[in-house]
């Protein structure tokens, strides 16, 4: 039987797993009544989870304003990640110029925490990128990055479900970015971030292609 204790956050997380994993394919309906029955909850947490997915670009409105899984193709995903990668690269370059020694130390602590075997690496990854956006000290750029990040975050988190290899490579990439920031090498920080985002896109495109296979 479905558990009666699912929260909106838990429902949101499960629906993301279903979408990214291919259990819910593009165009699949997400009816509140059926989802409420599945999770054993009222429609309120279902509606909250769907609104959050809508803000993240994972679902879209269909006929009669009902939610459907968004028809995201690889071209659209590539456009999103290329845009985000360029903004993140600019933020990393500015952070290399503008971060204080205390901010650099805090960034280093995030990277160190990500190396812990029991770390929630997706959460560590989010904190690392957020610290660089703040370290850039450019409010307009931070706002643009935050919007693109919100729309890409479910896919960015999903890449770490592919296995330890991607986590290990991401750790190395974070170290390279950190080293460049500490060295105040803006060009190297930007290039390292751009490469990091390109690698993430490659993993996500593979994941996306796999979910459409029978």
């Amino acid at each position: 039987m479905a558990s009666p204790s699912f929260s909106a956050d838990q429902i949101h997380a499960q629906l993301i797993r279903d979408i990214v994993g291919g259990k819910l394919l593009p165009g699949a309906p997400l009816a509140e009544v059926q989802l409420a029955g599945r999770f054993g909850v009222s429609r309120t947490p279902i509606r909250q989870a769907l609104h959050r997915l809508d803000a993240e670009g994972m679902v879209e409105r269909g006929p009669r304003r009902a939610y459907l899984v968004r028809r995201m193709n690889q071209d659209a995903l590539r456009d999103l990640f290329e845009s985000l990668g360029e903004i993140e690269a600019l933020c990393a370059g500015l952070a290399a110029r503008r971060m204080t020694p205390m901010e650099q130390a805090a960034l280093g602590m995030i990277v160190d925490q990500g190396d812990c075997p029991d770390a929630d690496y997706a959460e560590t990854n989010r904190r690392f990128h957020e610290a660089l956006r703040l370290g850039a000290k450019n409010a307009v750029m931070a706002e643009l990055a935050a919007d693109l990040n919100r729309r890409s975050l479910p896919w960015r988190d999903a890449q770490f479900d592919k296995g330890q290899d991607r986590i290990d490579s991401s750790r190395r990439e974070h170290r390279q970015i950190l080293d460049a920031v500490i060295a105040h090498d803006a060009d190297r920080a930007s290039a390292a971030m751009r490469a990091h985002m390109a690698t993430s896109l490659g993993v996500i495109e593979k994941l996306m292609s796999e979910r459409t296979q029978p």
Side-chain angles (χ1 to χ4, degrees):
M1 294 179 61
S3 168
S5 60
F6 283 106
S7 68
D9 285 345
Q10 290 171 321
I11 295 167
H12 170 264
Q14 183 58 56
L15 290 176
I16 282 179
R17 285 192 290 270
D18 290 348
I19 293 169
V20 173
K23 187 174 180 180
L24 288 171
L25 295 175
L30 295 167
E32 291 181 11
V33 173
Q34 282 80 4
L35 289 173
R38 171 186 170 184
F39 289 101
V41 296
S42 71
R43 293 171 65 178
T44 298
I46 298 297
R47 192 173 295 117
Q48 292 170 343
L50 290 174
H51 285 171
R52 186 172 166 189
L53 289 169
D54 188 19
E56 293 167 339
M58 298 295 286
V59 302
E60 59 189 0
R61 293 285 193 174
R64 300 181 181 178
R65 303 291 293 167
Y67 282 112
L68 306 172
V69 177
R70 186 181 176 192
R71 296 170 177 86
M72 170 76 85
N73 58 38
Q74 288 196 337
D75 288 341
L77 193 66
R78 188 180 303 110
D79 288 348
L80 174 60
F81 268 81
E82 285 179 351
S83 300
L84 178 60
E86 289 303 312
I87 294 292
E88 293 269 20
L90 289 170
C91 286
L94 289 175
R97 294 189 181 102
R98 298 175 177 175
M99 267 186 156
T100 66
M102 185 174 295
E103 290 169 333
Q104 290 177 351
L107 184 66
M109 288 180 62
I110 294 172
V111 173
D112 288 342
Q113 290 165 1
D115 288 341
C116 296
D118 59 347
D120 179 346
Y121 192 75
E123 173 63 22
T124 299
N125 185 63
R126 291 193 290 270
R127 290 174 57 213
F128 177 79
H129 286 268
E130 182 180 10
L132 286 169
R133 289 195 294 270
L134 293 174
K137 297 180 172 61
N138 183 304
V140 174
M141 198 171 294
E143 184 178 353
L144 289 171
D147 177 59
L148 292 171
N149 181 66
R150 182 176 63 253
R151 292 159 57 189
S152 67
L153 192 58
W155 295 100
R156 295 176 76 174
D157 286 354
Q159 68 180 303
F160 303 119
D161 294 334
K162 292 296 292 179
Q164 189 63 38
D165 286 349
R166 178 54 192 143
I167 293 176
D168 290 343
S169 64
S170 181
R171 285 170 173 159
R172 292 192 296 270
E173 292 156 16
H174 282 187
R175 285 281 175 196
Q176 291 169 354
I177 296 166
L178 173 64
D179 290 346
V181 169
I182 291 174
H184 299 287
D185 190 331
D187 289 342
R188 182 155 58 96
S190 293
M193 177 59 81
R194 193 173 286 110
H196 174 54
M197 295 300 294
T199 301
S200 295
L201 174 59
V203 174
I204 293 164
E205 285 184 321
K206 182 179 179 183
L207 185 155
M208 193 172 188
S209 66
E210 289 173 349
R211 76 182 187 137
T212 61
Q213 294 174 2

